[in-house]
């Protein structure tokens, strides 16, 4: 989920530059070095890779607990380590690393544009501009700002689904490949398909999915993925922007000068979004896992989404911990990389 994807923090950096349409005419001299011109993208991409690798073992444990029964997180960790070693916790890490830059960049771009479109529309038709409101000192979140940021987030979440779905399916396949291969009392044909995913790299896993389920197989569970990302990213952005606004108002400091507020808001939005959409993610993971053992043309039953059912929340605590870890590492690394880029000397201008 791009909500996990934590690049959302940087989206507010440019709010102050566009509180009124007239400001677009102000021209600023851009840096000549590309790394300084695109410092936000470079810093965010680098931080995303670092945060993904750091928290990936927790993501692996979460997926395993969703798709197979364990007595708890510690039991899952011990079982994985005893049967697969440390390598087992990093199975499938290549797919999210390959997709992290593309998905987060697209998500960021869609969210930025959508946020301004919705804010401008609300300003023209409702007489209330959310982006102007959040930049007022002492302002609090209201239904208008929550609706604007939530709608923009939902737009971004739905927009990246086509890109993210194949990568996430490949990651899930790698994470549970050993568990699928070790299943007992399974139909021999399904067992043979499951064994074909055992200990395969990212490219071979993707090729195997196409082999058994066709090119459309790369988008197995797309409808569930779309539902999860649309709702989850909308909740993520609405919670992040609102909680950060509250924290900065209470502290009496500027949002961009209050790293504690940014970190706290980032961790909170990840926890809230996961808590609310977790059963959808569980059903998506279970359905995708089951589909991997079916051949092309075979109908795969879709599990029912059931909220407040205990087994639908297996691994929720791990997911919340992972979300907090991803956000903490991301925000710290992002600020560090951006500051380092800012102090670089720019290329001299030609006479």
């Amino acid at each position: 989920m791009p909500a996990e994807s934590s690049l959302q923090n940087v989206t507010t950096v440019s709010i102050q530059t566009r509180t009124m349409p007239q400001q677009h005419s102000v021209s600023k001299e851009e840096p000549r070095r590309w790394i300084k011109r695109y410092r936000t993208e470079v810093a965010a991409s680098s931080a995303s890779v670092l945060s993904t690798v750091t928290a990936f073992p927790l993501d692996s444990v979460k997926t395993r607990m969703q798709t197979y029964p364990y007595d708890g997180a510690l039991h899952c960790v011990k079982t994985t380590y005893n049967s697969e070693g440390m390598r087992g916790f990093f199975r499938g890490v290549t797919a999210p690393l390959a997709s992290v830059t593309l998905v987060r960049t697209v998500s960021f771009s869609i969210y930025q544009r959508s946020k301004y479109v919705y804010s401008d529309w609300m300003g023209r038709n409702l007489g209330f501009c959310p982006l102007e409101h959040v930049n007022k000192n002492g302002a609090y979140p209201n239904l208008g700002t929550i609706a604007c940021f939530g709608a923009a987030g939902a737009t971004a979440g739905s927009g990246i689904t086509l890109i993210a779905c194949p990568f996430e399916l490949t990651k899930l396949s790698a994470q549970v490949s050993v568990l699928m291969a070790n299943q007992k009392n399974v139909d021999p044909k399904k067992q043979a398909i499951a064994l074909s995913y055992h200990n395969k790299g990212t490219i071979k896993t993707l090729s195997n999915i196409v082999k058994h389920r066709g090119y459309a197989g790369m988008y197995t569970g797309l409808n569930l993925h779309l539902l999860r990302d649309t709702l989850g990213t909308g909740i993520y952005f609405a919670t992040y922007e609102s909680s950060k606004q509250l924290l900065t108002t209470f502290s009496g400091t500027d949002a961009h000068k209050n790293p504690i507020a940014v970190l706290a808001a980032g961790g909170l939005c990840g926890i809230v979004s996961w808590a609310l959409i977790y059963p959808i993610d569980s059903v998506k993971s279970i359905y995708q896992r089951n589909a991997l053992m079916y051949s092309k043309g075979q109908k795969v039953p879709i599990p029912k989404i059931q909220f407040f059912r205990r087994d639908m929340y297996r691994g929720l605590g791990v997911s919340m911990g992972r979300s907090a870890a991803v956000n903490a590492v991301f925000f710290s690394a992002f600020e560090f990389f951006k500051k380092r880029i800012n102090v670089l000397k720019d290329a001299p201008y030609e006479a």
Side-chain angles (χ1 to χ4, degrees):
M1 183 173 64
E4 277 318 300
S5 6
S6 297
L7 184 56
Q8 288 87 333
N9 170 54
V10 300
T11 61
T12 59
V13 173
S14 60
I15 288 179
Q16 292 182 332
T17 65
R18 188 182 173 184
T19 56
M20 291 190 298
Q22 296 93 309
Q23 291 177 312
H24 290 290
S25 61
V26 178
S27 61
K28 291 186 177 181
E29 195 175 76
E30 291 188 351
R32 294 178 64 82
R33 294 184 65 174
W34 72 268
I35 195 171
K36 291 181 74 69
R37 288 201 306 271
Y38 301 103
R39 58 187 177 276
T40 296
E41 288 78 4
V42 173
S45 299
S46 303
S48 296
V49 171
L50 181 61
S51 61
T52 299
V53 173
T54 303
F56 194 78
L58 290 175
D59 182 75
S60 182
V61 172
K62 182 267 293 184
T63 302
R64 290 165 184 265
M65 291 184 68
Q66 285 180 320
T67 52
Y68 290 93
Y70 288 95
D71 294 333
L74 287 178
H75 179 227
C76 179
V77 171
K78 290 179 181 178
T79 303
T80 302
Y81 181 76
N82 290 336
S83 60
E84 304 175 48
M86 284 301 297
R87 183 182 178 184
F89 296 103
F90 290 93
R91 290 188 186 279
V93 71
T94 306
L97 280 179
S99 64
V100 67
T101 301
L102 177 61
V103 170
R104 284 182 174 171
T105 299
V106 173
S107 175
F108 170 79
S109 179
I110 295 175
Y111 177 71
Q112 272 297 80
R113 287 172 170 77
S114 300
K115 178 174 61 178
Y116 289 133
V117 168
Y118 295 144
S119 182
D120 290 344
W121 183 89
M122 292 175 71
R124 291 193 310 270
N125 295 277
L126 304 177
F128 173 76
C129 181
L131 294 184
E132 290 182 1
H133 177 78
V134 297
N135 283 301
K136 294 177 181 177
N137 291 331
Y140 291 92
N142 57 32
L143 289 177
T145 59
I146 294 173
C148 177
F149 297 133
T155 303
S158 61
I160 62 172
T161 301
L162 285 175
I163 301 174
C165 188
F167 288 104
E168 190 155 329
L169 178 62
T170 303
K171 179 196 71 172
L172 180 141
S173 172
Q175 287 175 331
V176 301
S177 62
V178 174
L179 295 172
M180 287 196 304
N182 293 336
Q183 287 186 113
K184 297 178 180 179
N185 301 321
V186 179
D187 182 91
K189 292 182 179 180
K190 292 183 179 179
Q191 185 69 13
I193 296 175
L195 286 170
S196 69
Y197 289 98
H198 186 56
N199 282 330
K200 295 290 193 301
T202 299
I203 302 300
K204 289 184 177 179
T205 296
L206 188 60
S207 176
N208 216 32
I209 292 172
V210 174
K211 175 184 175 182
H212 292 296
R213 297 192 55 78
Y215 286 101
M218 294 190 297
Y219 291 94
T220 299
L222 177 65
N223 56 341
L224 293 168
H225 197 126
L226 176 63
L227 179 62
R228 184 203 67 177
D229 280 3
T230 301
L231 293 177
T233 310
I235 294 169
Y236 184 98
F237 274 113
T239 304
Y240 174 76
E241 301 279 14
S242 300
S243 57
K244 182 161 68 68
Q245 187 181 2
L246 280 173
L247 290 169
T248 52
T249 296
F250 289 151
S251 65
T253 58
D254 184 273
H256 312 305
K257 297 179 181 178
N258 191 340
I260 301 301
V262 171
L263 284 171
L268 180 63
C269 68
I271 291 173
V272 171
S273 60
W274 271 118
L276 295 178
I277 56 93
Y278 200 76
I280 301 174
D281 184 64
S282 290
V283 169
K284 180 195 74 70
S285 296
I286 294 170
Y287 175 75
Q288 289 180 325
R289 183 223 37 202
N290 293 343
L292 290 172
M293 294 185 288
Y294 284 75
S295 297
K296 183 179 179 181
Q298 291 182 310
K299 187 176 181 180
V300 184
I302 302 177
K304 185 179 179 181
I305 299 174
Q306 295 178 302
F307 288 89
F308 309 114
R309 180 175 165 177
R310 187 174 181 178
D311 60 349
M312 286 285 103
Y313 292 89
R314 288 198 305 246
L316 176 59
V318 176
S319 292
M320 288 182 170
R322 172 190 170 275
S323 179
V326 165
N327 282 285
V329 173
F330 174 82
F331 289 127
S332 299
F334 174 78
E335 292 298 335
F336 173 79
F337 290 136
K338 192 171 182 181
K339 288 178 181 177
R340 296 292 295 179
I341 294 172
N342 283 337
V343 299
L344 294 175
K345 291 183 178 180
D346 201 7
Y349 283 85
E350 295 180 2

